Amino acid sequence: MGSKAMLSGKRVLLIIGGGIAAYKSLMLIRLLRSAGSAVTPVLTRAGAEFVTPLSVSALAGQRVYEALFDLTDEAEMGHIELSRSADLIVVAPATADLIAKAAGGRADDLASTLLLATDKRVLIAPAMNVRMWLHAATQRNLAQAAADGVLRVGPNEGEMACGEFGPGRMAEPEEIFEAIRAALMGGPLAGRHVIVTSGPTHEPIDPVRYIANRSSGAQGAAIAAALRDLGARVSFITGPAIVPPPPGVKVIRVETAVQMAAAVEAALPADAAVMAAAVADWRVVNPGAQKMKKTGAKAPALEFAENPDILAAVSKGKARPRLVVGFAAETEHLVDHASAKRLRKGCDWILANDVSAASGIMGGAENEVVLICAAGAEHWPRMGKTAVAQKLAERIAAALAGD
Ligand code: CTP
């Protein structure tokens, strides 16, 4: 990052919404300008409560636009022109209100009018209180914005200015810069296809009962999002997970391990595959076509058959991706068991984690992994699942670079 020419000739229209995170947007302006991009700043009325027009325009080296009537002067650009003269529109911080306006197509102030009038891509960096972020209305608006093609970076989880903890904190300026760079230049994985499996599988016993596991799909969804953010085309093959798939990836929903194996096969060829799914090792032979009934006699005995090992099949298959990454969930002898698994399955890397109850990882927000590759084991510090995903995505990009 930071090379002067990287974004030279690019123009970013930066809308600064109202939120304590607005100060980070000043840093973002500096990063963009030092990478050679021009920044045209727009400050909403609420944004001006947090940063001053003077500091924004001084850093941007341009006047700051604040209200629709700023544009009525003949000598000034009209809002249509302003919204289209940029290569990318960035909204940071994107408040719940700005996201709602964008999703609803409203145009009652300068910022929302620009978002509606533009023919360029829009990248939002949401920032809000955790409850506002989790509210069904915000999630609905985000889904609508994503469906309309709006790009997103963050928010991160962590301590918030309001004292609460959770998702809602705006992405750091460096992360927003990276998302802008990826949007403008194409990321390091542009043109690459990556398959990600995620979530649990459900193995039916009869039409109403199944065997499952506690995988939430959080780590797989975060990996798919991180790969997408680096520009990859992602096929996201997911069992019935609790965490929803990220926007901007191709979602293929399956229930059973056998269906997941077929979906992976159909998604090949790919440059890389990351098998984060917690695939059931066994399925019930001949699940009942009708609901099993109590007969009053003995409890039924279930007969099991082993499921296809998707990771091993892909690793050893004809259309093997250049890089195959598996997971190992272990409760003891983590590195030894995972290293043996890497060889047995024939994959390139294994991300091993300790899922013993004491680790609190299964279903939690954090993960502590060991990356096992041919060269040995690399312990990563405990971090959020999003951070693990980003680190893995960067490693995948580095491994595929120059190919
Ligand atoms: N995997 C798969 N298909 C299966 C089983 C597992 O693709 N039928 C993948 C998982 O997605 C994961 C890795 O293999 O990437 C985990 O291997 P697995 O043998 O299931 O590991 P554990 O369940 O940890 O195995 P065990 O406890 O038997 O060592």
Side-chain angles (χ1 to χ4, degrees):
M1 198 199 291
S3 102
K4 179 85 186 153
M6 189 189 275
L7 295 181
S8 91
K10 299 291 181 194
R11 282 168 304 176
V12 170
L13 184 85
L14 175 65
I15 297 173
I16 303 176
I20 191 73
Y23 77 92
K24 293 188 192 172
S25 299
L26 300 179
M27 201 42 219
L28 176 64
I29 296 174
R30 293 192 57 180
L31 288 173
L32 286 167
R33 292 204 63 206
S34 63
S37 175
V39 180
T40 304
V42 173
L43 194 55
T44 68
R45 189 151 18 138
E49 300 288 334
F50 292 89
V51 289
T52 69
L54 187 60
S55 45
V56 172
S57 61
L59 284 166
Q62 284 195 40
R63 67 159 296 182
V64 53
Y65 295 91
E66 290 184 80
L68 264 174
F69 70 78
D70 282 357
L71 305 174
T72 52
D73 188 328
E74 287 276 303
E76 296 293 345
M77 254 192 236
H79 61 270
I80 303 287
E81 197 186 337
L82 184 61
S83 74
R84 297 184 187 170
S85 60
D87 298 299
L88 181 73
I89 299 193
V90 177
V91 189
T95 59
D97 181 56
L98 269 172
I99 295 168
K101 280 179 175 165
R106 297 188 61 118
D108 59 0
D109 60 10
L110 178 59
S112 54
T113 303
L114 294 173
L115 291 171
L116 196 61
T118 191
D119 59 353
K120 296 298 176 349
R121 280 181 307 165
V122 174
L123 170 74
I124 60 171
M128 67 195 73
N129 166 273
V130 55
R131 287 287 140 217
M132 292 171 78
W133 171 255
L134 294 173
H135 196 285
T138 302
Q139 292 300 318
R140 196 165 57 236
N141 292 333
L142 285 162
Q144 183 59 57
D148 295 343
V150 171
L151 307 168
R152 189 178 103 200
V153 52
N156 294 337
E157 287 203 10
E159 191 135 5
M160 311 197 51
C162 53
E164 286 186 81
F165 188 90
R169 207 168 73 171
M170 188 167 87
E172 294 306 314
E174 292 78 9
E175 294 174 278
I176 303 174
F177 177 88
E178 187 50 40
I180 292 171
R181 194 194 64 73
L184 289 173
M185 316 297 292
L189 287 173
R192 305 288 190 188
H193 176 214
V194 185
I195 295 173
V196 178
T197 69
S198 182
T201 62
H202 284 183
E203 306 297 332
I205 297 171
D206 67 20
V208 297
R209 302 182 181 93
Y210 57 83
I211 295 170
N213 60 64
R214 294 187 197 280
S215 166
S216 66
Q219 189 62 83
I223 290 168
L227 291 163
R228 171 207 64 196
D229 288 348
L230 296 188
R233 177 167 69 85
V234 178
S235 294
F236 185 66
I237 301 170
T238 177
I242 298 164
V243 173
V249 303
K250 181 174 182 194
V251 181
I252 301 134
R253 292 179 198 274
V254 298
E255 291 228 332
T256 66
V258 168
Q259 289 167 359
M260 187 174 276
V264 168
E265 185 68 28
L268 288 167
D271 297 285
V274 182
M275 305 301 197
V279 185
D281 289 322
W282 298 282
R283 67 180 176 278
V284 176
V285 179
N286 301 326
Q290 306 300 331
K291 184 174 173 232
M292 287 165 72
K293 304 298 276 181
K294 291 187 290 292
T295 56
K298 275 202 333 216
L302 296 177
E303 192 190 335
F304 290 99
E306 196 164 327
N307 271 328
D309 190 321
I310 305 165
L311 176 59
V314 168
S315 298
K316 295 169 188 171
K318 279 204 300 289
R320 187 192 200 281
R322 205 177 134 218
L323 184 70
V324 181
V325 184
F327 274 73
E330 309 289 348
T331 53
E332 57 176 2
H333 309 301
L334 184 69
V335 172
D336 287 351
H337 281 178
S339 304
K341 192 167 286 172
R342 189 183 81 84
L343 295 176
R344 201 164 64 237
K345 304 255 186 179
C347 58
D348 300 292
W349 301 347
I350 287 258
L351 266 199
N353 55 10
D354 175 0
V355 290
S356 57
S359 75
I361 281 170
M362 204 101 175
E366 293 197 320
N367 210 346
E368 187 174 334
V369 304
V370 182
L371 176 68
I372 312 245
C373 45
E378 186 183 309
H379 292 256
W380 292 3
R382 193 177 178 106
M383 55 181 115
K385 287 184 176 174
T386 305
V388 169
Q390 285 165 348
K391 195 165 158 118
L392 177 65
E394 278 161 22
R395 296 297 282 265
I396 291 171
L400 294 180
D403 170 29

